[in-house]
Amino acid sequence: MSIDLETARRVAHLARIAVDDDDLPALAGEFNRILGFIEQLNEVDVKGVEPMTSVTPMRLKRRPDVVTDGGYPEKILANAPDAREGFFAVPKVVE
Amino acid sequence: MMSELSRLTIAEARDRLRKAEITAVELAEACLSEIEAAEPLNAFVTTTAEKALDQARAADARLRAGDAPAMCGIPVGVKDLFCTEGVRSQAASFILNGFLPPYESTVTRQLWESGAVMLGKLNMDEFAMGSSNETSVYGPAVNPWRRQGDDTALTPGGSSGGSAAAVAAGLCLAATGTDTGGSIRQPAAFTGIVGLKPTYGRCSRWGIIAFASSLDQAGPMTRTVRDAAIMLGAMAGHDPMDSTSADVPVPDFEAALTGDIRGKRIGIPREYRMDGMPAEIEALWQKGAEMLRDAGAEVVDISLPHTKYALPAYYVIAPAEASSNLARYDGVRYGHRAKLGPGDGVTEMYEKTRAEGFGAEVKRRVMIGTYVLSAGFYDAYYNRARKVRALIKRDFDQVFDAGIDAILTPTTPSSAFPIGAMADADPVQMYLNDVFTVTVNLAGLPGISVPAGLDAAGLPLGLQLIGRPWAEGDLLNVAGVIEKAAAFEAAPQVWWRS
């Protein structure tokens, strides 16, 4: 599979990373080299093999669905680049 | 003059602290002065002198009261990937610029509770993505080792490059590292120290900035195998805050260091004999096998047939998980937010913030991860890689079922290389650094690198031992035999002190 400029642009957008048009050819080239390396996986016979979900045999623990933490909005907001009146502030989302 | 105190092993310092021959404050002060004089190494990126002295005074009080666990009073450095309360923690990334965690990671909290003293935060590759510490927003850490008669600055490896450089240069007695594909073991090998990646689930991942959650594991980076055993004991243990943290008892790892490996079966995997492997690494590997044989172990040829596919599987799985984990860096809740232009909406905020905040390698991996998880490619890449991962683990299960106790391999395909040497190389060339270590993460096994010799240029080389799940004690014991037989005493010449 080969990645063209349009695909590179789409992937960058899906990843929410702005990429200048001028940088797309180099990016597509890197993708293609990395994916070329990954293509080796096609040599492996994986028929009947279950995809790994957990590397150690374990069942995820369950716990009661209760609030165990919280009540400190000022701590939560302390690292925000823009926080106002107890909220995270972002550019206008809805027109 | 290098301080003798900062060069002590954990075990030596522990014994001298308990005998009141030295104090924790003296130890911390010695390390802080070494750190101050070691700027050219760029290993410590934040120093927490005040905190260190407070903790050292508290440790001295505990020592006087006779309530002193093994790590009490031991000064350590912390990889920048660990969240430390109120202390800058930014995974060497600009996107977390100035981030001050309001909480403490479980591993570091346990260290402080056991009396360890925090000296500061250590350089690393951005989000632990790299093998040379060159992707760091702080600039590369520098290896204290140089080639004989050559001043070229070498990489300490990565991603835990600052941790490795600091321990090797005697700026701290030990450091925390994390290992997703080799990030503890490769830098340990490049700097002549011991690095242990525990079994997946042995140490809690809570509060460690996530890269690839199914592979990440924290571990100790120390100057001796005994020190790794001591420090792992303080780092390990079940944590309800990490659902993948294993609820298994933490044994006394140090007690496992009997030096007796008679009758143990050590596997030598034929697939690790790579084309173009330097002769001195091949020779060191054979010498390691002889050391174990001389100590009474049985050395057996084994096969791990899917080894070749570990790196390609890793470069699907790790970026896939990273693309998901790093989605949280959106310029809203913490870290950097790009300046927006008129009319920019929330999508532009995300895209500009992430373009400015992430470095080139992180962007590359996030986008590769996004691609392999995208509609239409998920099965072809991600699911196939997870199936290959299952086969890689099965390879290991089969040799362990056949009675193999541990596996011996080289840690890296080369010794430390110059900073900048890979600048124009294909990204895949850099990935090949992890060719011997990455299988261990995919299979969730414990692995350790032990310094075992020098190459022709006088640079350290490491041997890797891979153990059964949860058998870190046995693994450390075998590693101790290599350490003793190799008698690695070499130390880098001190050129960095101003």
Side-chain angles (χ1 to χ4, degrees), chain B residues 245-269:
Chain B
S245 145
D247 201 351
V248 295
V250 178
D252 181 346
F253 297 113
E254 196 183 3
L257 304 179
T258 61
D260 182 2
I261 59 161
R262 283 172 299 174
K264 294 281 179 199
R265 287 165 62 90
I266 309 295
I268 308 286

Side-chain angles (χ1 to χ4, degrees), chain B residues 6-302:
Chain B
S6 74
R7 289 253 160 214
L8 294 175
T9 65
I10 294 175
E12 288 164 351
R14 169 191 62 185
D15 296 349
R16 292 179 64 178
L17 284 165
R18 285 179 177 169
K19 284 191 222 153
E21 293 172 7
I22 54 171
T23 67
V25 169
E26 286 166 0
L27 257 181
E29 282 173 343
C31 291
L32 289 168
S33 98
E34 290 305 317
I35 292 167
E36 204 177 336
E39 224 162 274
L41 295 176
N42 199 22
F44 274 88
V45 292
T46 305
T47 307
T48 51
E50 220 169 291
K51 191 178 175 99
L53 294 173
D54 283 347
Q55 286 178 325
R57 279 187 285 267
D60 280 330
R62 276 176 88 171
L63 282 154
R64 277 194 301 273
D67 157 41
M71 289 298 289
C72 193
I74 304 297
V76 301
V78 176
K79 189 177 183 180
D80 202 36
L81 204 62
F82 291 77
C83 285
T84 43
E85 189 174 351
V87 177
R88 205 155 74 124
S89 308
Q90 60 181 77
S93 181
F94 182 59
I95 208 157
L96 272 174
N97 196 27
F99 179 58
L100 296 174
Y103 49 80
E104 187 78 28
S105 83
T106 298
V107 162
T108 49
R109 178 178 53 74
Q110 289 186 188
L111 282 169
W112 316 143
E113 282 172 3
S114 70
V117 170
M118 168 162 161
L119 296 166
K121 302 302 281 287
L122 290 159
N123 208 344
M124 55 179 282
D125 280 296
E126 185 181 6
F127 283 107
M129 297 179 192
S131 303
S132 64
N133 211 127
E134 291 171 287
T135 69
S136 167
V137 73
Y138 309 115
V142 179
N143 197 327
W145 291 82
R146 289 171 165 178
R147 292 173 179 152
Q148 253 154 24
D150 180 348
D151 286 353
T152 309
L154 304 177
T155 172
S159 67
S160 310
S163 301
V167 174
L171 312 185
C172 50
L173 272 63
T176 65
T178 63
D179 190 315
T180 304
S183 281
I184 286 176
R185 291 159 288 156
Q186 182 253 22
F190 277 11
T191 56
I193 66 165
V194 174
L196 171 65
K197 183 203 92 73
T199 312
Y200 182 79
R202 179 63 96 179
C203 294
S204 169
R205 292 183 296 105
W206 195 80
I208 301 174
I209 296 168
F211 162 14
S213 305
S214 80
L215 302 159
D216 297 343
Q217 185 61 200
M221 301 179 73
T222 58
R223 288 195 282 265
T224 67
V225 169
R226 180 170 301 276
D227 286 3
I230 295 170
M231 188 165 168
L232 177 62
M235 295 170 71
H238 176 243
D239 177 15
M241 300 295 277
D242 172 4
S243 62
T244 62
S245 145
D247 201 351
V248 295
V250 178
D252 181 346
F253 297 113
E254 196 183 3
L257 304 179
T258 61
D260 182 2
I261 59 161
R262 283 172 299 174
K264 294 281 179 199
R265 287 165 62 90
I266 309 295
I268 308 286
R270 66 176 68 104
E271 291 80 6
Y272 282 59
R273 196 156 282 122
M274 301 277 170
D275 287 343
M277 184 152 93
E280 46 198 345
I281 289 185
E282 168 85 41
L284 184 79
W285 192 10
Q286 295 205 4
K287 221 167 88 188
E290 277 160 36
M291 292 171 191
L292 297 176
R293 207 180 285 121
D294 289 347
E298 186 189 346
V299 175
V300 191
D301 279 321
I302 59 166

Side-chain angles (χ1 to χ4, degrees), chain B residues 434-475:
Chain B
D434 291 336
V435 66
F436 299 136
T437 47
V438 75
T439 51
V440 175
N441 301 77
L442 290 169
L445 301 170
I448 188 168
S449 178
V450 190
L454 298 175
D455 72 0
L459 296 179
L461 294 170
L463 286 173
Q464 174 179 241
L465 285 155
I466 304 167
R468 296 162 172 267
W470 313 115
E472 287 91 347
D474 286 345
L475 181 67

Side-chain angles (χ1 to χ4, degrees), chain B residues 334-356:
Chain B
Y334 28 65
H336 176 70
R337 178 187 294 187
K339 287 216 168 28
L340 301 181
D344 278 351
V346 78
T347 302
E348 288 79 12
M349 179 190 72
Y350 296 149
E351 292 189 341
K352 288 184 177 178
T353 294
R354 290 161 66 79
E356 290 177 11

